[in-house]
Amino acid sequence: MATTGKKYRAAASKIEDRPYELKEAITAIADSAYAKFDETVEVHMRLGVDPRHADQMVRGTIVLPHGTGKTMRVAVIAAGEKIKDAEAAGAEIVGGDDLVERIAGGFLEFDALVATPDMMKGVGRLGKVLGPRGLMPNPKTGTVTFEVGKAIKEIKAGKVEYRVDKTGIIHAPVGKLSFGVDKLTENAKALIDAVQKAKPSAAKGKYVKAIHMASTMGPSVSVSTSIVEK
């Protein structure tokens, strides 16, 4: 039977069993951190939607005010002048049909993939490779576009995609513990506001049912949903 370690139990003992205000929750996460690396802080939101219905799907992107703290390696599939645009914007990997073939062969050394609409016929067949890894370009997230320079800059600036899973929960990173409480609070508030604004018209009843936050190795902290009720 799996058990938690002493350090985790010590950290969990510092967290009270009650909803915290947002900044207070992040302070508690920082105060209870024990890992020897710079942990990522995540927000988890349980929504009152049924993602089995297309009209209740919640999905979008947000460029966090202070980024994610992660260096993003961006790949771009394009042709003609758009290849030059991608290189000028700082894409690490750029190609056309040749890059499609490399990815089909197992090449996945990138964190985000952007494609121009005219290349999607070839990219479409990579769904089984890219889909499970969350790397498939999609117009809704701004990764299928002729504005490749803009897409690359947004990704590198800290663009985060959020999408409700089959259980009705959204999971998204909002930065590193080294950011400090104020920057993490601003990033988390931006994400929560974006999810709130993305409420589907078909959603009935209470939309945001619960919010929790945690660092990579730390215990979960409940956040008061009053932040979306004000």
Side-chain angles (χ1 to χ4, degrees):
M1 182 176 178
T3 58
T4 55
K6 290 182 180 178
K7 291 182 179 179
Y8 179 90
R9 292 199 298 271
S13 69
K14 298 178 182 179
I15 306 301
E16 297 178 28
D17 185 17
R18 63 175 177 85
Y20 286 70
E21 293 302 315
L22 182 60
K23 189 171 183 176
E24 183 189 20
I26 294 171
T27 298
I29 290 170
D31 290 345
S32 61
Y34 61 89
K36 294 182 179 180
F37 62 93
D38 192 8
E39 298 176 74
T40 295
V41 177
E42 295 186 346
V43 171
H44 308 275
M45 301 176 67
R46 184 162 63 89
L47 306 181
V49 298
D50 185 346
R52 293 175 299 178
H53 300 288
D55 61 356
Q56 293 189 51
M57 174 57 67
V58 180
R59 182 178 188 177
T61 60
I62 174 73
V63 177
L64 298 176
H66 304 289
T68 63
K70 181 179 180 180
T71 300
M72 299 292 287
R73 188 172 173 84
V74 182
V76 177
I77 297 175
E81 291 297 317
K82 296 303 176 182
I83 286 182
K84 294 180 181 179
D85 290 348
E87 292 172 338
E92 285 79 6
I93 304 156
V94 182
D97 292 329
D98 58 324
L99 183 51
V100 172
E101 293 304 321
R102 286 178 69 192
I103 294 171
F107 176 75
L108 291 166
E109 295 179 16
F110 49 87
D111 302 301
L113 179 63
V114 176
T116 52
D118 57 326
M119 299 299 291
M120 283 305 293
K121 183 176 181 180
V123 176
R125 65 186 181 87
L126 300 175
K128 291 183 179 180
V129 177
L130 299 173
R133 296 170 175 81
L135 293 170
M136 189 68 182
N138 189 303
K140 293 182 179 179
T141 60
T143 48
V144 176
T145 177
F146 282 117
E147 295 184 82
V148 293
K150 178 183 177 182
I152 293 165
K153 289 175 182 176
E154 287 183 344
I155 291 169
K156 288 184 173 290
K159 185 177 184 178
V160 169
E161 178 182 356
Y162 57 85
R163 181 177 183 176
V164 68
D165 66 16
K166 63 182 180 181
T167 65
I169 300 175
I170 279 176
H171 313 268
V174 291
K176 300 286 188 178
L177 275 175
S178 60
F179 282 18
V181 173
D182 289 341
K183 288 183 178 180
L184 284 170
T185 300
E186 290 177 24
N187 275 2
K189 183 67 165 60
L191 173 70
I192 293 168
D193 285 348
V195 174
Q196 176 70 6
K197 290 176 182 176
K199 179 181 179 180
S201 58
K204 306 299 181 184
K206 189 172 183 178
Y207 176 52
V208 178
K209 291 191 171 183
I211 304 173
H212 286 80
M213 294 185 69
S215 60
T216 306
M217 301 292 290
S220 175
V221 179
S222 175
V223 179
S224 173
T225 58
S226 63
I227 191 173
V228 295
E229 294 166 358
K230 293 176 181 177

